[in-house]
Amino acid sequence: MSPRLSSTLLRWYRQHGRDLPWRQTRDPYRILVSEIMLQQTQVSRVMIFYKRWLTQFPTWESLAEATNGQVIMVWSGLGYNRRSLVLRDIAKHIIAHGVPSTPEAWEKIKGVGPYTAAAICAFALHQRTLPIDTNIRRVLGRVLFGIPYPTLKMDKKIVQSADFVLPKRGAFYDVPQALFDLATSTCTKVPACASCPLKAICKSAPRFLSGHVRIPKIMIKKAKESRHRNKPYPDRIYRGKILKFVREHPETFLKTIGPMIDPHFDLSLDQAWIKAMIVRLQKEGLIALKHHRLFLPT
Ligand code: SF4
């Protein structure tokens, strides 16, 4: 990125960037917590749960010692509950092996992908790494390569441009944060190029401003989720309901849970489906079954 581009972006960020709690710290633990919570969850929701989590588990040590049941309780309401166990298992790894110092070493930990590894190294360790998520892909694909709707295929090119994108000195670690905020406020699906600080240097701006871009109806094809016969929701939602019920009513009898989570439960048609979902929750470590009763695992 030309110095003009990074300095324009950072100047805009100083004025318009969001003041988020995980941007006030360089603690790798706190940054990892925020990154895992932000996966598939909106910032406004994460803000609430982030604070609660850090009150309960303020350090790697406190989290590493927590049981499955304890982390599932504190995660309650955030969804995609597996993430709570992933986070606890990462804490266990860190306690046993120390905090990694490179993206490559972070990526060797189960549950840490390339994006999370690069984000921790950028925000906690202030390394010149560029985490690429859907937001950063969208902005850089547009600005640098003139692709209005960049796909995953662009990531290789974007990674190769990291040395160019991140200034060599100054607050280079704020560039990804600035890109996130620009992506969510201005460079959205239908971008507001007229009010964008980068419009003079963005390769896509002329096409958007002249109205010569066809806006795709669907950006990302959602993976097909499994759904039982005529149920209105995918199984994922019912698994969440089962877990919520067990959290609130420990020692529930297995055979009574069906009608509790589904008002249209039919014993002959749905009992095997419920059992299969409970087996999956057990395998994932989210639920325990003892003497036909359901509990949170200890
Ligand atoms: S000028 Fe338009 S397309 Fe380019 S970065 Fe700004 S909002 Fe996005």
Side-chain angles (χ1 to χ4, degrees), residues 142-143 186-187 191 193 196 199 202 204-205 208:
R142 287 172 173 177
V143 173
T186 310
C187 195
C193 300
C196 178
K199 65 173 180 280
C202 172
S204 298
F208 276 117

